[in-house]
Amino acid sequence: IDYYNSSNLTVTFNCSANNTRNINLTNATLNIYNSTDELLYNITTNTNVENSTNMTFSYTFTSDGVYTWNCQFEDNQSNTGTTANDYTLTIDTTETNISFSSGTLANDTIIPRTWIYSDVTLSGDVKTITWNINDTETVYNSTTYNHNQTSLGNGTYNYNVTVCDYA
C-alpha cells in the first residue's frame, strides 16, 4: 500500500508477481530505503514458482521516519522486474502531546459571555485537530491553533480537543 502509516516499528510487506511467460520465478527481493534514498534493508528469498507468487517479508525499523520500498523478482533466465514505482511508508510511534495554552478557561468555569476561546499547542506529527463543543466539530490541520466559538446562548457547554496523527 502506498502512503501507508504505521504506529508499529515492525511492518509486513507483501510482494506479488504475475509471470505470463511460463518461466520460473526464482527470486523475490524486498528493498527498503531511508529518507535520503540510501538502501536500508535488502533481503532476497528463493521463490521457484512457475507463474505467479505472493511473498511476504517482515522488517523491524529502529526509528520513526519516512521510508520508501519496492519489490523485485527475477526469473530463471535472469530477467528482472521491479515495481513500477516505489511505495512510501511512514513510521510514527511517538504519541502527540496536547496542552491548553493561555486564554483557555479552566474546567467548570461559569462566565457571563456568549463565546468560548481555546488555544492548544501540540507536539508531534499532527494530521488533524478536532475542536468539539456540544457535538459540533471544527477540524484544523496545523500544530498550533486557537478557536473562538461565538454566538452562544445561555447554558452549559462542554468542549474537548482531539488530535489525530499520521499513524
Side-chain angles (χ1 to χ4, degrees):
I1 300 174
D2 202 9
Y3 300 106
Y4 178 72
N5 298 303
S6 177
S7 59
N8 295 312
L9 289 173
T10 301
V11 176
T12 300
F13 297 87
N14 183 16
C15 299
S16 301
N18 187 15
N19 182 1
T20 58
R21 298 180 312 172
N22 293 327
I23 300 171
N24 280 3
L25 295 172
T26 55
N27 294 316
T29 301
L30 170 68
N31 300 301
I32 302 174
Y33 302 88
N34 65 17
S35 61
T36 60
D37 290 329
E38 294 176 71
L39 184 63
L40 176 69
Y41 180 73
N42 168 279
I43 186 170
T44 299
T45 188
N46 186 305
T47 58
N48 204 22
V49 295
E50 187 172 316
N51 292 322
S52 62
T53 188
N54 186 24
M55 301 296 298
T56 57
F57 299 94
S58 183
Y59 179 72
T60 300
F61 292 85
T62 58
S63 62
D64 288 1
V66 177
Y67 301 91
T68 56
W69 64 279
N70 65 41
C71 298
Q72 180 178 358
F73 286 88
E74 182 177 359
D75 65 24
N76 63 359
Q77 293 183 355
S78 297
N79 298 309
T80 59
T82 304
T83 52
N85 298 306
D86 289 344
Y87 296 100
T88 301
L89 160 72
T90 300
I91 303 293
D92 180 6
T93 60
T94 306
E95 290 186 23
T96 301
N97 294 317
I98 183 171
S99 62
F100 288 97
S101 304
S102 64
T104 302
L105 297 173
N107 195 26
D108 294 324
T109 297
I110 298 173
I111 192 161
R113 65 180 184 203
T114 61
W115 54 274
I116 297 173
Y117 173 82
S118 70
D119 184 30
V120 177
T121 302
L122 307 162
S123 65
D125 293 326
V126 176
K127 184 176 181 181
T128 59
I129 305 162
T130 303
W131 196 86
N132 182 320
I133 181 166
N134 289 6
D135 297 323
T136 300
E137 295 185 346
T138 304
V139 178
Y140 297 91
N141 297 311
S142 62
T143 56
T144 302
Y145 85 97
N146 57 55
H147 182 85
N148 191 17
Q149 185 75 33
T150 60
S151 302
L152 300 173
N154 288 335
T156 301
Y157 293 92
N158 298 301
Y159 68 91
N160 67 34
V161 178
T162 304
V163 178
C164 179
D165 64 8
Y166 286 94

